[in-house]
Amino acid sequence: KQEVTQIPAALSVPEGENLVLNCSFTDSAIYNLQWFRQDPGKGLTSLLLIQSSQREQTSGRLNASLDKSSGRSTLYIAASQPGDSATYLCAVNVDTGKLIFGQGTTLQVKP
Amino acid sequence: DAEITQSPRHKITETGRQVTLACHQTWNHNNMFWYRQDLGHGLRLIHYSYGVQDTNKGEVSDGYSVSRSNTEDLPLTLESAASSQTSVYFCASSEVGLAASGEQYFGPGTRLTVT
């Protein structure tokens, strides 16, 4: 059974710091991996999607990497800002869209 | 712009009542999904559909049902609401195929309280 783990569960950093969020999964048979952002009381916003054949994707200050063989993905946030404060979720696509989610990392960026 | 809408956004109901949560997408996606989000459990898949007249059970489907009569809508019905079904419910859609990335888009959520 696929399991997705995100470490750490919570993270607090000063503004301007570069940071890495980790996501690990137990079964390498995935179609893709998606990173989401969730603000309190809100829905999920897709940040990056990495196909199983890709190694990384970039969008602005965000860079996501995927090492399928070792079951790991990282989300790198450069020059963090207070507006980046949110919960970040990773999810693996195991079967035509069925997503298995990690528990998330709650990030606080202090001014 | 294409989007997914959910209604109602907030609902309070009593134990034993039937409740239907609406989900409407204008992406023209074939795939639609319902998840629930709970503290300590994260997001879990309830039901999903790969097209009109197709429905499938997810990880936590007991007490829920869906029907897909058109591409745009996938309503979620709680047959007899229970307190354990108090949660935030999210609808999502995606498309797969040669010209589609499989990226999944989520609605704003429905907060359901069963008293």
Side-chain angles (χ1 to χ4, degrees), chain A residues 37-107:
Chain A
R37 170 187 172 133
Q38 186 175 30
D39 293 289
K42 303 291 186 182
L44 279 69
T45 300
S46 179
L47 297 174
L48 289 164
L49 173 78
I50 312 177
Q51 301 294 350
S52 61
S53 58
Q54 296 175 322
R55 297 285 292 181
E56 65 178 73
Q57 282 285 336
T58 298
S59 176
R61 294 182 294 110
L62 305 180
N63 176 276
S65 68
L66 175 64
D67 184 344
K68 204 173 73 160
S69 61
S70 68
R72 297 173 66 178
S73 176
T74 61
L75 179 67
Y76 174 82
I77 303 176
S80 58
Q81 302 170 358
D84 294 330
S85 298
T87 296
Y88 291 81
L89 298 161
C90 76
V92 296
N93 181 343
V94 297
D95 179 13
T96 320
K98 290 164 61 178
L99 295 183
I100 306 296
F101 282 85
Q103 297 274 358
T105 294
T106 299
L107 172 65

Short mmCIF file of all heavy atoms in Angstrom, two decimals, chain A residues 37-107:
data_model
loop_
_atom_site.label_atom_id
_atom_site.label_comp_id
_atom_site.label_asym_id
_atom_site.label_seq_id
_atom_site.Cartn_x
_atom_site.Cartn_y
_atom_site.Cartn_z
N ARG A 37 -0.31 23.89 -2.44
CA ARG A 37 -0.30 24.83 -1.32
C ARG A 37 -1.73 24.96 -0.81
O ARG A 37 -2.68 25.02 -1.61
CB ARG A 37 0.19 26.19 -1.82
CG ARG A 37 0.02 27.32 -0.83
CD ARG A 37 0.37 28.65 -1.41
NE ARG A 37 0.00 29.70 -0.46
CZ ARG A 37 0.78 30.71 -0.13
NH1 ARG A 37 1.98 30.84 -0.70
NH2 ARG A 37 0.37 31.61 0.74
N GLN A 38 -1.88 25.00 0.53
CA GLN A 38 -3.20 25.20 1.12
C GLN A 38 -3.11 26.27 2.19
O GLN A 38 -2.38 26.13 3.17
CB GLN A 38 -3.75 23.90 1.72
CG GLN A 38 -5.18 24.05 2.22
CD GLN A 38 -5.78 22.74 2.71
OE1 GLN A 38 -5.07 21.87 3.21
NE2 GLN A 38 -7.09 22.59 2.58
N ASP A 39 -3.86 27.33 2.00
CA ASP A 39 -3.96 28.39 3.01
C ASP A 39 -5.09 28.02 3.97
O ASP A 39 -6.03 27.29 3.60
CB ASP A 39 -4.23 29.73 2.35
CG ASP A 39 -3.05 30.19 1.52
OD1 ASP A 39 -2.03 30.55 2.13
OD2 ASP A 39 -3.13 30.15 0.28
N PRO A 40 -5.02 28.50 5.22
CA PRO A 40 -6.02 28.12 6.24
C PRO A 40 -7.45 28.36 5.76
O PRO A 40 -7.79 29.45 5.30
CB PRO A 40 -5.67 29.03 7.41
CG PRO A 40 -4.21 29.30 7.26
CD PRO A 40 -3.98 29.39 5.77
N GLY A 41 -8.28 27.32 5.86
CA GLY A 41 -9.68 27.43 5.48
C GLY A 41 -9.93 27.51 4.00
O GLY A 41 -11.06 27.80 3.56
N LYS A 42 -8.91 27.23 3.20
CA LYS A 42 -9.05 27.36 1.74
C LYS A 42 -8.84 26.02 1.05
O LYS A 42 -8.50 25.01 1.69
CB LYS A 42 -8.02 28.36 1.20
CG LYS A 42 -8.10 29.73 1.83
CD LYS A 42 -9.36 30.46 1.44
CE LYS A 42 -9.35 31.89 1.96
NZ LYS A 42 -10.60 32.61 1.62
N GLY A 43 -9.02 26.03 -0.26
CA GLY A 43 -8.79 24.83 -1.05
C GLY A 43 -7.32 24.65 -1.38
O GLY A 43 -6.46 25.36 -0.86
N LEU A 44 -7.05 23.68 -2.23
CA LEU A 44 -5.68 23.37 -2.62
C LEU A 44 -5.35 24.05 -3.94
O LEU A 44 -6.13 23.98 -4.89
CB LEU A 44 -5.52 21.85 -2.79
CG LEU A 44 -5.31 21.02 -1.53
CD1 LEU A 44 -6.55 20.97 -0.68
CD2 LEU A 44 -4.86 19.61 -1.90
N THR A 45 -4.18 24.65 -3.97
CA THR A 45 -3.70 25.28 -5.19
C THR A 45 -2.51 24.48 -5.70
O THR A 45 -1.54 24.26 -4.96
CB THR A 45 -3.25 26.74 -4.92
OG1 THR A 45 -4.37 27.48 -4.43
CG2 THR A 45 -2.72 27.38 -6.19
N SER A 46 -2.58 24.04 -6.94
CA SER A 46 -1.48 23.27 -7.52
C SER A 46 -0.28 24.18 -7.76
O SER A 46 -0.40 25.26 -8.34
CB SER A 46 -1.94 22.64 -8.83
OG SER A 46 -0.88 21.92 -9.42
N LEU A 47 0.88 23.71 -7.30
CA LEU A 47 2.12 24.47 -7.49
C LEU A 47 2.95 23.89 -8.64
O LEU A 47 3.38 24.62 -9.53
CB LEU A 47 2.95 24.45 -6.20
CG LEU A 47 2.33 25.11 -4.98
CD1 LEU A 47 3.20 24.87 -3.75
CD2 LEU A 47 2.12 26.59 -5.21
N LEU A 48 3.22 22.62 -8.57
CA LEU A 48 4.08 21.97 -9.56
C LEU A 48 3.64 20.53 -9.73
O LEU A 48 3.24 19.87 -8.77
CB LEU A 48 5.55 22.01 -9.12
CG LEU A 48 6.25 23.37 -9.17
CD1 LEU A 48 7.54 23.32 -8.36
CD2 LEU A 48 6.54 23.77 -10.60
N LEU A 49 3.77 20.05 -10.96
CA LEU A 49 3.50 18.65 -11.28
C LEU A 49 4.74 18.08 -11.93
O LEU A 49 5.27 18.69 -12.89
CB LEU A 49 2.31 18.55 -12.23
CG LEU A 49 2.01 17.16 -12.79
CD1 LEU A 49 1.31 16.32 -11.76
CD2 LEU A 49 1.16 17.25 -14.05
N ILE A 50 5.23 16.96 -11.43
CA ILE A 50 6.38 16.29 -12.04
C ILE A 50 5.93 14.94 -12.56
O ILE A 50 5.45 14.11 -11.78
CB ILE A 50 7.53 16.08 -11.04
CG1 ILE A 50 7.83 17.35 -10.26
CG2 ILE A 50 8.78 15.59 -11.75
CD1 ILE A 50 8.91 17.15 -9.22
N GLN A 51 6.11 14.72 -13.85
CA GLN A 51 5.79 13.41 -14.41
C GLN A 51 6.85 12.40 -13.96
O GLN A 51 7.97 12.76 -13.61
CB GLN A 51 5.74 13.47 -15.93
CG GLN A 51 4.71 14.45 -16.49
CD GLN A 51 3.27 14.06 -16.19
OE1 GLN A 51 2.98 12.96 -15.72
NE2 GLN A 51 2.35 14.97 -16.44
N SER A 52 6.49 11.12 -13.98
CA SER A 52 7.40 10.08 -13.48
C SER A 52 8.70 10.02 -14.28
O SER A 52 9.73 9.57 -13.77
CB SER A 52 6.71 8.72 -13.50
OG SER A 52 6.35 8.37 -14.83
N SER A 53 8.67 10.49 -15.52
CA SER A 53 9.87 10.45 -16.37
C SER A 53 10.76 11.69 -16.19
O SER A 53 11.85 11.76 -16.76
CB SER A 53 9.46 10.35 -17.84
OG SER A 53 8.63 11.45 -18.19
N GLN A 54 10.28 12.66 -15.41
CA GLN A 54 11.02 13.90 -15.23
C GLN A 54 11.81 13.89 -13.94
O GLN A 54 11.49 13.14 -13.00
CB GLN A 54 10.06 15.10 -15.24
CG GLN A 54 9.33 15.29 -16.56
CD GLN A 54 8.31 16.39 -16.51
OE1 GLN A 54 7.61 16.56 -15.51
NE2 GLN A 54 8.20 17.15 -17.60
N ARG A 55 12.83 14.76 -13.87
CA ARG A 55 13.64 14.85 -12.67
C ARG A 55 13.29 16.09 -11.84
O ARG A 55 13.45 16.09 -10.61
CB ARG A 55 15.11 14.91 -13.04
CG ARG A 55 15.62 13.68 -13.73
CD ARG A 55 15.81 12.54 -12.76
NE ARG A 55 16.89 12.77 -11.83
CZ ARG A 55 17.25 11.90 -10.90
NH1 ARG A 55 16.63 10.76 -10.77
NH2 ARG A 55 18.25 12.17 -10.08
N GLU A 56 12.86 17.16 -12.54
CA GLU A 56 12.51 18.37 -11.80
C GLU A 56 11.62 19.28 -12.63
O GLU A 56 11.53 19.16 -13.86
CB GLU A 56 13.76 19.12 -11.34
CG GLU A 56 14.63 19.69 -12.45
CD GLU A 56 15.81 20.45 -11.85
OE1 GLU A 56 16.75 19.80 -11.33
OE2 GLU A 56 15.78 21.69 -11.90
N GLN A 57 10.96 20.19 -11.90
CA GLN A 57 10.13 21.23 -12.50
C GLN A 57 10.36 22.51 -11.73
O GLN A 57 10.58 22.49 -10.51
CB GLN A 57 8.65 20.85 -12.44
CG GLN A 57 8.20 19.85 -13.46
CD GLN A 57 8.07 20.43 -14.85
OE1 GLN A 57 7.89 21.64 -15.03
NE2 GLN A 57 8.19 19.59 -15.85
N THR A 58 10.28 23.63 -12.44
CA THR A 58 10.52 24.93 -11.82
C THR A 58 9.39 25.88 -12.16
O THR A 58 8.88 25.88 -13.28
CB THR A 58 11.85 25.52 -12.31
OG1 THR A 58 12.92 24.65 -11.91
CG2 THR A 58 12.10 26.90 -11.70
N SER A 59 9.02 26.69 -11.15
CA SER A 59 8.05 27.76 -11.37
C SER A 59 8.43 28.91 -10.46
O SER A 59 8.26 28.84 -9.24
CB SER A 59 6.64 27.27 -11.05
OG SER A 59 5.71 28.34 -11.17
N GLY A 60 8.97 29.95 -11.05
CA GLY A 60 9.38 31.12 -10.25
C GLY A 60 10.42 30.76 -9.21
O GLY A 60 11.47 30.21 -9.53
N ARG A 61 10.10 31.01 -7.94
CA ARG A 61 11.04 30.71 -6.84
C ARG A 61 10.93 29.26 -6.35
O ARG A 61 11.62 28.88 -5.39
CB ARG A 61 10.77 31.65 -5.66
CG ARG A 61 11.08 33.12 -5.95
CD ARG A 61 10.84 34.00 -4.73
NE ARG A 61 9.44 34.05 -4.34
CZ ARG A 61 8.94 33.49 -3.26
NH1 ARG A 61 9.73 32.78 -2.44
NH2 ARG A 61 7.66 33.60 -2.97
N LEU A 62 10.10 28.47 -6.98
CA LEU A 62 9.88 27.10 -6.57
C LEU A 62 10.57 26.14 -7.53
O LEU A 62 10.52 26.32 -8.75
CB LEU A 62 8.38 26.78 -6.54
CG LEU A 62 7.49 27.67 -5.69
CD1 LEU A 62 6.05 27.20 -5.79
CD2 LEU A 62 7.94 27.69 -4.25
N ASN A 63 11.18 25.11 -6.94
CA ASN A 63 11.78 24.05 -7.74
C ASN A 63 11.46 22.73 -7.06
O ASN A 63 11.75 22.55 -5.87
CB ASN A 63 13.28 24.24 -7.86
CG ASN A 63 13.95 23.09 -8.60
OD1 ASN A 63 14.26 22.06 -8.00
ND2 ASN A 63 14.18 23.25 -9.88
N ALA A 64 10.87 21.81 -7.81
CA ALA A 64 10.56 20.49 -7.26
C ALA A 64 11.39 19.45 -7.99
O ALA A 64 11.52 19.50 -9.21
CB ALA A 64 9.08 20.19 -7.40
N SER A 65 11.93 18.52 -7.22
CA SER A 65 12.71 17.43 -7.81
C SER A 65 12.04 16.11 -7.49
O SER A 65 11.27 16.00 -6.53
CB SER A 65 14.14 17.44 -7.26
OG SER A 65 14.12 17.08 -5.89
N LEU A 66 12.34 15.12 -8.31
CA LEU A 66 11.78 13.79 -8.12
C LEU A 66 12.85 12.74 -8.35
O LEU A 66 13.51 12.74 -9.40
CB LEU A 66 10.61 13.55 -9.07
CG LEU A 66 10.00 12.15 -9.08
CD1 LEU A 66 9.36 11.83 -7.72
CD2 LEU A 66 8.97 11.99 -10.20
N ASP A 67 13.05 11.86 -7.36
CA ASP A 67 13.90 10.69 -7.50
C ASP A 67 13.01 9.49 -7.28
O ASP A 67 12.81 9.05 -6.14
CB ASP A 67 15.04 10.74 -6.50
CG ASP A 67 16.02 9.58 -6.68
OD1 ASP A 67 15.66 8.59 -7.36
OD2 ASP A 67 17.14 9.65 -6.15
N LYS A 68 12.44 8.97 -8.36
CA LYS A 68 11.44 7.92 -8.25
C LYS A 68 12.03 6.64 -7.66
O LYS A 68 11.38 5.97 -6.85
CB LYS A 68 10.84 7.64 -9.62
CG LYS A 68 9.46 7.03 -9.57
CD LYS A 68 8.85 6.93 -10.94
CE LYS A 68 9.48 5.84 -11.75
NZ LYS A 68 8.65 5.40 -12.88
N SER A 69 13.25 6.33 -8.03
CA SER A 69 13.85 5.07 -7.58
C SER A 69 14.04 5.03 -6.08
O SER A 69 13.94 3.97 -5.46
CB SER A 69 15.18 4.83 -8.29
OG SER A 69 16.08 5.87 -7.99
N SER A 70 14.32 6.18 -5.49
CA SER A 70 14.50 6.22 -4.04
C SER A 70 13.24 6.66 -3.32
O SER A 70 13.23 6.73 -2.09
CB SER A 70 15.65 7.17 -3.66
OG SER A 70 15.30 8.51 -3.95
N GLY A 71 12.18 6.98 -4.07
CA GLY A 71 10.91 7.35 -3.46
C GLY A 71 10.96 8.69 -2.75
O GLY A 71 10.41 8.83 -1.65
N ARG A 72 11.60 9.68 -3.37
CA ARG A 72 11.74 10.97 -2.71
C ARG A 72 11.49 12.13 -3.66
O ARG A 72 11.82 12.06 -4.84
CB ARG A 72 13.13 11.10 -2.11
CG ARG A 72 13.43 10.09 -1.04
CD ARG A 72 14.87 10.16 -0.58
NE ARG A 72 15.18 11.40 0.10
CZ ARG A 72 16.36 11.68 0.63
NH1 ARG A 72 17.35 10.83 0.52
NH2 ARG A 72 16.57 12.83 1.23
N SER A 73 10.90 13.19 -3.10
CA SER A 73 10.74 14.45 -3.80
C SER A 73 11.04 15.57 -2.84
O SER A 73 10.81 15.45 -1.63
CB SER A 73 9.32 14.60 -4.35
OG SER A 73 9.15 15.87 -4.97
N THR A 74 11.58 16.66 -3.37
CA THR A 74 11.81 17.83 -2.55
C THR A 74 11.21 19.06 -3.23
O THR A 74 11.17 19.14 -4.47
CB THR A 74 13.31 18.10 -2.31
OG1 THR A 74 13.94 18.32 -3.57
CG2 THR A 74 13.96 16.93 -1.60
N LEU A 75 10.74 19.98 -2.42
CA LEU A 75 10.27 21.28 -2.90
C LEU A 75 11.19 22.33 -2.32
O LEU A 75 11.28 22.48 -1.11
CB LEU A 75 8.83 21.54 -2.47
CG LEU A 75 8.26 22.91 -2.93
CD1 LEU A 75 8.12 22.95 -4.44
CD2 LEU A 75 6.90 23.17 -2.28
N TYR A 76 11.90 23.01 -3.21
CA TYR A 76 12.85 24.04 -2.81
C TYR A 76 12.18 25.40 -3.01
O TYR A 76 11.64 25.68 -4.10
CB TYR A 76 14.11 23.92 -3.67
CG TYR A 76 15.13 25.01 -3.47
CD1 TYR A 76 16.03 24.95 -2.41
CD2 TYR A 76 15.21 26.08 -4.35
CE1 TYR A 76 16.99 25.94 -2.24
CE2 TYR A 76 16.16 27.08 -4.18
CZ TYR A 76 17.05 27.00 -3.13
OH TYR A 76 17.99 27.98 -2.96
N ILE A 77 12.18 26.21 -1.95
CA ILE A 77 11.64 27.57 -2.03
C ILE A 77 12.79 28.54 -1.82
O ILE A 77 13.44 28.52 -0.76
CB ILE A 77 10.54 27.82 -0.98
CG1 ILE A 77 9.41 26.80 -1.13
CG2 ILE A 77 9.99 29.24 -1.10
CD1 ILE A 77 8.31 26.90 -0.08
N ALA A 78 13.04 29.35 -2.80
CA ALA A 78 14.14 30.32 -2.72
C ALA A 78 13.64 31.65 -2.16
O ALA A 78 12.52 32.07 -2.43
CB ALA A 78 14.74 30.54 -4.11
N ALA A 79 14.51 32.28 -1.38
CA ALA A 79 14.24 33.62 -0.86
C ALA A 79 12.83 33.74 -0.29
O ALA A 79 11.99 34.51 -0.78
CB ALA A 79 14.46 34.66 -1.95
N SER A 80 12.55 32.97 0.74
CA SER A 80 11.19 32.87 1.28
C SER A 80 10.64 34.23 1.73
O SER A 80 11.38 35.11 2.17
CB SER A 80 11.16 31.88 2.45
OG SER A 80 12.06 32.29 3.46
N GLN A 81 9.31 34.35 1.61
CA GLN A 81 8.61 35.59 1.96
C GLN A 81 7.46 35.25 2.91
O GLN A 81 6.95 34.13 2.91
CB GLN A 81 8.04 36.23 0.69
CG GLN A 81 9.07 36.53 -0.37
CD GLN A 81 8.43 36.94 -1.69
OE1 GLN A 81 7.21 36.95 -1.83
NE2 GLN A 81 9.28 37.28 -2.65
N PRO A 82 7.01 36.22 3.71
CA PRO A 82 5.88 35.94 4.62
C PRO A 82 4.65 35.40 3.88
O PRO A 82 3.90 34.60 4.42
CB PRO A 82 5.61 37.31 5.25
CG PRO A 82 6.94 37.98 5.26
CD PRO A 82 7.62 37.54 3.97
N GLY A 83 4.46 35.82 2.65
CA GLY A 83 3.34 35.33 1.85
C GLY A 83 3.44 33.87 1.47
O GLY A 83 2.46 33.28 1.00
N ASP A 84 4.60 33.26 1.71
CA ASP A 84 4.77 31.83 1.45
C ASP A 84 4.22 30.99 2.60
O ASP A 84 4.15 29.77 2.50
CB ASP A 84 6.24 31.49 1.25
CG ASP A 84 6.83 32.12 -0.01
OD1 ASP A 84 6.07 32.32 -0.99
OD2 ASP A 84 8.04 32.42 -0.01
N SER A 85 3.85 31.63 3.69
CA SER A 85 3.33 30.91 4.86
C SER A 85 2.05 30.19 4.48
O SER A 85 1.08 30.81 4.03
CB SER A 85 3.08 31.86 6.02
OG SER A 85 4.28 32.49 6.43
N ALA A 86 2.03 28.88 4.66
CA ALA A 86 0.90 28.04 4.26
C ALA A 86 1.26 26.59 4.59
O ALA A 86 2.36 26.32 5.07
CB ALA A 86 0.61 28.17 2.76
N THR A 87 0.34 25.68 4.32
CA THR A 87 0.65 24.26 4.40
C THR A 87 0.93 23.74 3.00
O THR A 87 0.17 24.03 2.07
CB THR A 87 -0.52 23.49 5.05
OG1 THR A 87 -0.69 23.92 6.40
CG2 THR A 87 -0.24 21.98 5.04
N TYR A 88 2.01 22.99 2.87
CA TYR A 88 2.42 22.45 1.59
C TYR A 88 2.19 20.94 1.60
O TYR A 88 2.67 20.24 2.51
CB TYR A 88 3.88 22.79 1.30
CG TYR A 88 4.06 24.26 1.05
CD1 TYR A 88 4.15 25.16 2.11
CD2 TYR A 88 4.10 24.77 -0.25
CE1 TYR A 88 4.27 26.52 1.89
CE2 TYR A 88 4.23 26.13 -0.48
CZ TYR A 88 4.30 27.00 0.60
OH TYR A 88 4.42 28.35 0.37
N LEU A 89 1.48 20.46 0.61
CA LEU A 89 1.12 19.05 0.51
C LEU A 89 1.73 18.44 -0.74
O LEU A 89 1.72 19.07 -1.80
CB LEU A 89 -0.41 18.90 0.43
CG LEU A 89 -1.21 19.39 1.64
CD1 LEU A 89 -2.66 19.62 1.26
CD2 LEU A 89 -1.12 18.40 2.76
N CYS A 90 2.25 17.24 -0.59
CA CYS A 90 2.64 16.50 -1.78
C CYS A 90 1.69 15.32 -1.95
O CYS A 90 1.15 14.80 -0.95
CB CYS A 90 4.09 16.06 -1.74
SG CYS A 90 4.44 14.66 -0.67
N ALA A 91 1.49 14.92 -3.19
CA ALA A 91 0.59 13.82 -3.49
C ALA A 91 1.13 13.04 -4.67
O ALA A 91 1.61 13.62 -5.64
CB ALA A 91 -0.81 14.33 -3.80
N VAL A 92 1.07 11.71 -4.59
CA VAL A 92 1.49 10.86 -5.70
C VAL A 92 0.26 10.32 -6.41
O VAL A 92 -0.73 9.96 -5.77
CB VAL A 92 2.41 9.72 -5.22
CG1 VAL A 92 3.70 10.28 -4.65
CG2 VAL A 92 1.73 8.82 -4.22
N ASN A 93 0.35 10.29 -7.71
CA ASN A 93 -0.71 9.76 -8.57
C ASN A 93 -0.41 8.29 -8.83
O ASN A 93 0.57 7.97 -9.50
CB ASN A 93 -0.73 10.57 -9.88
CG ASN A 93 -1.82 10.11 -10.82
OD1 ASN A 93 -2.37 9.03 -10.70
ND2 ASN A 93 -2.12 10.95 -11.79
N VAL A 94 -1.25 7.43 -8.24
CA VAL A 94 -0.95 5.99 -8.31
C VAL A 94 -1.71 5.28 -9.42
O VAL A 94 -1.36 4.19 -9.81
CB VAL A 94 -1.22 5.31 -6.96
CG1 VAL A 94 -0.31 5.87 -5.89
CG2 VAL A 94 -2.68 5.46 -6.55
N ASP A 95 -2.80 5.88 -9.92
CA ASP A 95 -3.62 5.16 -10.88
C ASP A 95 -4.61 6.12 -11.53
O ASP A 95 -5.66 6.38 -10.97
CB ASP A 95 -4.37 4.02 -10.19
CG ASP A 95 -5.27 3.25 -11.14
OD1 ASP A 95 -5.15 3.42 -12.37
OD2 ASP A 95 -6.11 2.47 -10.65
N THR A 96 -4.25 6.64 -12.69
CA THR A 96 -5.13 7.51 -13.48
C THR A 96 -5.83 8.58 -12.63
O THR A 96 -7.05 8.70 -12.64
CB THR A 96 -6.19 6.67 -14.23
OG1 THR A 96 -5.59 5.50 -14.73
CG2 THR A 96 -6.74 7.46 -15.40
N GLY A 97 -5.04 9.27 -11.86
CA GLY A 97 -5.58 10.41 -11.14
C GLY A 97 -5.83 10.20 -9.68
O GLY A 97 -6.04 11.15 -8.94
N LYS A 98 -5.83 8.97 -9.20
CA LYS A 98 -6.06 8.74 -7.78
C LYS A 98 -4.84 9.20 -7.00
O LYS A 98 -3.75 8.65 -7.15
CB LYS A 98 -6.32 7.26 -7.52
CG LYS A 98 -7.65 6.80 -8.07
CD LYS A 98 -7.72 5.29 -8.16
CE LYS A 98 -7.58 4.61 -6.83
NZ LYS A 98 -7.69 3.14 -6.95
N LEU A 99 -5.02 10.23 -6.17
CA LEU A 99 -3.91 10.82 -5.43
C LEU A 99 -3.85 10.28 -4.01
O LEU A 99 -4.87 10.16 -3.33
CB LEU A 99 -4.05 12.34 -5.38
CG LEU A 99 -3.95 13.09 -6.71
CD1 LEU A 99 -4.04 14.59 -6.47
CD2 LEU A 99 -2.68 12.75 -7.44
N ILE A 100 -2.63 9.98 -3.57
CA ILE A 100 -2.35 9.65 -2.18
C ILE A 100 -1.55 10.81 -1.61
O ILE A 100 -0.47 11.14 -2.13
CB ILE A 100 -1.55 8.35 -2.05
CG1 ILE A 100 -2.25 7.20 -2.78
CG2 ILE A 100 -1.34 8.01 -0.57
CD1 ILE A 100 -3.59 6.81 -2.22
N PHE A 101 -2.07 11.41 -0.54
CA PHE A 101 -1.49 12.63 0.01
C PHE A 101 -0.62 12.35 1.22
O PHE A 101 -0.88 11.43 2.00
CB PHE A 101 -2.59 13.60 0.44
CG PHE A 101 -3.22 14.35 -0.68
CD1 PHE A 101 -4.26 13.80 -1.40
CD2 PHE A 101 -2.79 15.62 -1.01
CE1 PHE A 101 -4.86 14.50 -2.44
CE2 PHE A 101 -3.38 16.33 -2.04
CZ PHE A 101 -4.41 15.77 -2.76
N GLY A 102 0.40 13.19 1.40
CA GLY A 102 1.10 13.26 2.66
C GLY A 102 0.31 14.14 3.62
O GLY A 102 -0.69 14.77 3.25
N GLN A 103 0.78 14.21 4.87
CA GLN A 103 0.07 14.97 5.89
C GLN A 103 0.36 16.48 5.81
O GLN A 103 -0.32 17.27 6.43
CB GLN A 103 0.47 14.47 7.28
CG GLN A 103 0.08 13.03 7.55
CD GLN A 103 -1.35 12.91 8.06
OE1 GLN A 103 -2.05 13.89 8.25
NE2 GLN A 103 -1.79 11.68 8.27
N GLY A 104 1.38 16.83 5.05
CA GLY A 104 1.67 18.24 4.85
C GLY A 104 2.76 18.79 5.76
O GLY A 104 3.04 18.23 6.84
N THR A 105 3.37 19.87 5.32
CA THR A 105 4.32 20.64 6.13
C THR A 105 3.77 22.05 6.25
O THR A 105 3.50 22.70 5.23
CB THR A 105 5.71 20.69 5.48
OG1 THR A 105 6.29 19.39 5.46
CG2 THR A 105 6.63 21.65 6.25
N THR A 106 3.57 22.49 7.48
CA THR A 106 3.07 23.85 7.72
C THR A 106 4.25 24.79 7.87
O THR A 106 5.07 24.63 8.78
CB THR A 106 2.18 23.90 8.97
OG1 THR A 106 1.05 23.04 8.76
CG2 THR A 106 1.67 25.32 9.22
N LEU A 107 4.34 25.73 6.97
CA LEU A 107 5.47 26.66 6.91
C LEU A 107 5.05 28.03 7.43
O LEU A 107 4.02 28.58 7.04
CB LEU A 107 5.96 26.79 5.47
CG LEU A 107 7.01 27.86 5.19
CD1 LEU A 107 8.31 27.52 5.91
CD2 LEU A 107 7.23 28.01 3.70
#
